Amino acid sequence: MNRVHGFEFNDQEWLPQFMTSWMTSVLHVCHRTTGDGYVWASKVMGLLDRSGEDRILDLCSGGGGPVLDLVRVLEGEHNRQIHLTLSDLIPNQRTAEAINGQGPNRVYITHSVNATDVPADWPGVRTVFSGLHHMKPEVAFGFLKNAFDRRKYIFIGETTKRTLPTVVKYAKAAKHFFAATNDINPTRAQSFLTFRLPILPAMLGWDNVMSCLRTYSAEELRGFTDRLSAPDYEWEIGELYNPVLETPYPYIMGYPIGARRSGALPRSPRPGF
């Protein structure tokens, strides 16, 4: 099955905020329900141990759902105290406001952060969840190259796979969006466009299928990493199994071999940075 970089509603800047907010909130509920944080925890914890870091720098964060669930698992199940910084090319300002009020260990950078040009002195294990498939090949390569050139620790986890069984499974998932909506305290508009006129579930259902068709295969990821090879840097490509969904989750991770590396903190991740 060839990769198709087709249209997704959640990528569109013109989509009204209440629609994107519904999508990210419902997806957050779904990530939590399917236990995605548990699926990724062991690999990310391994990178934290290798790096000596207690910081995660999440890129392409959107509404923040997957990484927030991961950190909840790391702190609650593995007794790790994590400083989490979230960022995005187009920051979700509502999520940022909520997260920036949670204390010094939770920061959402409110200005635009390009994942292909992250400053070398920003510390932390880099993560991206359900984000790589949103990037076209040249952007995805540039994103990996930025981590490679700066010899950064990075973990990229997807929840979709480009196979027919996964496409069928995710096409059927739209029926769960109705129950998830009840957990997010929807606005009147969100409720109307879910239960009375189910446009929002249809849109997110479309995005689910398209995300599968956009997901990079292991062979395509190796095509990127073969161009990013060095004796002091290692890439690992594989799959992690989600027992709730009975579905494999593709991942790619990279890390420098040798001395631990860290950098200086961004001075002010709030407006004005």
Side-chain angles (χ1 to χ4, degrees), residues 3 5 59-60 114-118 126 128 131-151 154 156 214 216 219-230 233 235 237 252:
R3 182 177 185 273
H5 196 91
L59 305 164
C60 309
N114 187 338
T116 67
D117 190 26
V118 181
R126 298 182 181 184
V128 172
L132 190 67
H133 67 267
H134 289 282
M135 304 178 190
K136 293 183 178 180
E138 62 273 16
V139 177
F141 175 76
F143 164 63
L144 297 174
K145 186 176 186 298
N146 180 264
F148 172 79
D149 288 345
R150 289 157 171 73
R151 297 303 190 265
I154 187 168
I156 303 160
R214 283 180 168 195
Y216 290 98
E219 182 180 359
E220 288 163 341
L221 293 175
R222 290 190 190 96
F224 294 144
T225 59
D226 285 349
R227 298 157 60 192
L228 301 170
S229 178
Y233 199 85
W235 292 104
I237 297 169
I252 176 172

Side-chain angles (χ1 to χ4, degrees), residues 241-259:
Y241 187 72
N242 185 320
V244 177
L245 287 177
E246 300 181 336
T247 300
Y249 280 8
Y251 76 89
I252 176 172
M253 57 189 280
Y255 50 89
I257 302 171

Side-chain angles (χ1 to χ4, degrees), residues 13 18 23 34 37 47 52 76 90 95 138 181 193 218 227 245 257:
E13 294 184 41
F18 83 92
M23 288 184 176
T34 55
L47 289 181
I90 305 173
T95 300
E138 62 273 16
T181 300
L193 292 178
R227 298 157 60 192
L245 287 177
I257 302 171

Side-chain angles (χ1 to χ4, degrees), residues 4-233:
V4 178
H5 196 91
F7 174 93
E8 284 196 41
F9 288 100
N10 213 15
D11 285 345
Q12 309 309 313
E13 294 184 41
W14 50 261
L15 200 68
Q17 175 66 35
F18 83 92
M19 289 185 167
T20 57
S21 177
W22 178 89
M23 288 184 176
T24 55
S25 297
V26 165
L27 286 174
H28 187 182
V29 172
C30 293
H31 285 300
R32 188 172 64 243
T33 302
T34 55
D36 292 350
Y38 291 94
V39 176
W40 296 314
S42 62
K43 290 294 183 181
V44 176
M45 192 164 61
L47 289 181
L48 290 168
D49 289 340
R50 278 181 175 272
S51 66
E53 294 270 13
D54 61 358
R55 296 175 179 272
I56 290 176
L57 172 60
D58 193 58
L59 305 164
C60 309
S61 299
V67 74
L68 293 174
D69 290 333
L70 167 71
V71 170
R72 189 177 298 113
V73 172
L74 293 177
E75 293 185 336
E77 303 289 332
H78 298 280
N79 199 30
R80 300 294 292 260
Q81 291 294 10
I82 304 296
H83 183 288
L84 172 63
T85 300
L86 299 92
S87 65
D88 204 284
L89 185 66
I90 305 173
N92 185 314
Q93 298 298 336
R94 292 185 180 180
T95 300
E97 182 179 359
I99 288 176
N100 287 334
Q102 293 179 8
N105 283 340
R106 298 290 184 269
V107 176
Y108 197 128
I109 299 174
T110 54
H111 66 80
S112 180
V113 175
N114 187 338
T116 67
D117 190 26
V118 181
D121 61 350
W122 285 17
V125 171
R126 298 182 181 184
T127 59
V128 172
F129 296 104
S130 298
L132 190 67
H133 67 267
H134 289 282
M135 304 178 190
K136 293 183 178 180
E138 62 273 16
V139 177
F141 175 76
F143 164 63
L144 297 174
K145 186 176 186 298
N146 180 264
F148 172 79
D149 288 345
R150 289 157 171 73
R151 297 303 190 265
K152 293 293 184 178
Y153 298 82
I154 187 168
F155 179 87
I156 303 160
E158 293 279 22
T159 61
T160 52
K161 189 175 180 181
R162 202 173 74 229
T163 63
L164 183 58
T166 307
V167 170
V168 172
K169 183 184 290 286
Y170 277 73
K172 294 179 179 179
K175 63 185 179 183
H176 300 295
F177 299 155
F178 298 95
T181 300
N182 288 323
D183 292 336
I184 68 169
N185 191 25
T187 65
R188 286 186 177 182
Q190 290 170 340
S191 183
F192 180 82
L193 292 178
T194 300
F195 300 109
R196 300 294 295 275
L197 188 64
I199 290 176
L200 290 174
M203 290 167 61
L204 190 53
W206 170 268
D207 280 8
N208 257 7
V209 171
M210 195 53 60
S211 291
C212 293
L213 299 179
R214 283 180 168 195
T215 303
Y216 290 98
S217 67
E219 182 180 359
E220 288 163 341
L221 293 175
R222 290 190 190 96
F224 294 144
T225 59
D226 285 349
R227 298 157 60 192
L228 301 170
S229 178
D232 64 343
Y233 199 85

